[in-house]
Amino acid sequence: MPAVVKCPTCGKDVAWVPENKFRPFCSDRCKQIDLGAWAAEKYVIGGKPDETPSPDLPADEED
C-alpha cells in the first residue's frame, strides 16, 4: 500500500506514488499556489537577517 500524505496547500490526502506527478501536492493548482506563496515571500527559512552564511570551503582550499 503506498504512503499517503496531506497536500501542503489544501490538506487533501495524496498517494505518494510515481504516477502522481504533482506530489506532494494533489494537483497542479495546489503546486502553483505554493510556488506563488514562496515568490511572494510568505514563507521564510529560519535565521537572523544579519547572519552571514558559513563558507563552503575552508580558506586554504579556495581557488
Side-chain angles (χ1 to χ4, degrees), residues 17-28:
V17 293
E19 294 80 28
N20 179 3
K21 62 183 179 177
F22 305 115
R23 68 180 179 214
F25 303 98
C26 66
S27 65
D28 187 47

Side-chain angles (χ1 to χ4, degrees), residues 30-56:
C30 281
K31 182 177 149 185
Q32 294 300 322
I33 290 169
D34 186 75
L35 179 62
W38 277 103
E41 297 182 359
K42 292 183 179 179
Y43 301 135
V44 295
I45 296 174
K48 298 176 187 169
D50 59 345
E51 200 173 292
T52 56
S54 58
D56 293 335

